[in-house]
Amino acid sequence: MSRFRALWQASLNATKRALAWNVEDIMPPSEKYVFNFNSKEELKRWHLYSDSEYGGLSSASLEITNTDSGAGSQLSGIFSGNLSVDISEGSTWRISRGGFCGMRSKKFDGFIDLDAYDTIALRLRGDGRSYISTIYTENWVNSPGQQEDNSWQAFVFVPKDRWHIAKIPLDQYLPTWRGSVIDVELEMNPSRIMGMSLSVNAEGGIPGAKTGPGDFRLEIDWIKALRTY
């Protein structure tokens, strides 16, 4: 009898493990970390850009340091710098004004599949400016003259001096081409995400947000994908 019970228990445990695996495979967790700024290793996953690449005078930095997270001291990312709308003298680039900085993730090894999720959440503490959250997906045009990833953008207003979780439904990200929204009927493919970025412009953004040249500072705790349904 004891041998029968042992076999029965082993079979039951194996069945439970199989069911648990199948359930998680069919229904992924309700949230998934995409980026977590709790280690200096995270810096290796990002690169900075600004109008200085085209003759502008803006500058940006990204560091991981101890900050007050609201529940004690912990590591978080700080994206900061200075926005200038001026152009350096003698610049050979034909741009009329500067005033932008960004941090973009390096391309993933393959793709991140967020098809099971419907919302991007970012835990941030800012300076009253609005920032731009961008998602890059695999290019829908496979041709030698069109090599850039697809980009989808949404504004994020970050209240000043307090931690805030911004939640952006994926269907609120608009298709863009080099920073401008394009008027086409397209749907994002969240199963083929190549990377993400956060950027800031001196002008434009959400009404009521701080604008203009000058310093900016954005603290970043994490970026997650959520399933809200």
Side-chain angles (χ1 to χ4, degrees):
M1 179 65 71
S2 60
R3 180 178 296 178
F4 172 77
R5 286 179 177 173
L7 289 171
W8 177 81
Q9 187 64 51
S11 177
L12 179 62
N13 290 341
T15 301
K16 286 181 177 178
R17 286 195 298 271
L19 287 173
W21 181 86
N22 287 333
V23 168
E24 186 166 316
D25 187 52
I26 296 170
M27 185 62 69
S30 60
E31 62 180 43
K32 176 179 181 176
Y33 277 104
V34 183
F35 298 102
N36 196 349
F37 293 81
N38 61 358
S39 166
K40 292 189 177 180
E41 288 295 306
E42 182 69 19
L43 293 176
K44 298 177 181 178
R45 303 181 66 189
W46 297 85
H47 66 83
L48 296 167
Y49 63 90
S50 72
D51 57 42
S52 63
E53 300 173 26
Y54 308 99
L57 298 175
S58 299
S59 61
S61 67
L62 176 64
E63 59 181 335
I64 306 291
T65 189
N66 277 299
T67 62
D68 177 10
S69 69
S73 179
Q74 69 172 46
L75 291 176
S76 61
I78 299 180
F79 171 50
S80 62
N82 182 269
L83 296 169
S84 172
V85 296
D86 298 325
I87 306 298
S88 60
E89 293 184 12
S91 172
T92 59
W93 293 92
R94 294 182 178 179
I95 60 173
S96 58
R97 62 189 307 168
F100 65 87
C101 294
M103 51 179 280
R104 176 170 175 169
S105 68
K106 297 175 183 177
K107 283 195 174 184
F108 302 131
D109 183 13
F111 305 96
I112 282 190
D113 184 354
L114 299 183
D115 195 42
Y117 302 91
D118 60 278
T119 299
I120 295 297
L122 310 92
R123 189 169 188 263
L124 308 167
R125 178 163 63 180
D127 51 8
R129 291 184 182 271
S130 65
Y131 290 77
I132 300 170
S133 170
T134 305
I135 296 174
Y136 301 96
T137 59
E138 185 182 36
N139 199 315
W140 64 76
V141 178
N142 187 14
S143 68
Q146 176 73 9
Q147 297 295 325
E148 296 184 24
D149 301 328
N150 295 340
S151 61
W152 309 78
Q153 295 186 334
F155 281 112
V156 185
F157 172 69
V158 187
K160 185 177 180 180
D161 298 333
R162 66 179 176 86
W163 286 102
H164 169 72
I165 297 178
K167 297 180 180 180
I168 312 170
L170 288 176
D171 61 12
Q172 288 188 12
Y173 281 84
L174 300 177
T176 63
W177 170 250
R178 297 184 178 178
S180 298
V181 175
I182 54 179
D183 186 17
V184 291
E185 292 293 330
L186 293 173
E187 290 187 7
M188 182 193 298
N189 181 359
S191 67
R192 309 286 280 184
I193 290 178
M194 308 282 292
M196 295 183 179
S197 73
L198 284 168
S199 57
V200 60
N201 293 336
E203 306 298 341
I206 295 173
K210 178 182 176 181
T211 60
D215 293 339
F216 68 89
R217 178 185 172 93
L218 179 68
E219 295 179 57
I220 314 160
D221 189 0
W222 45 252
I223 300 173
K224 295 179 181 179
L226 305 180
R227 189 179 68 252
T228 63
Y229 51 85

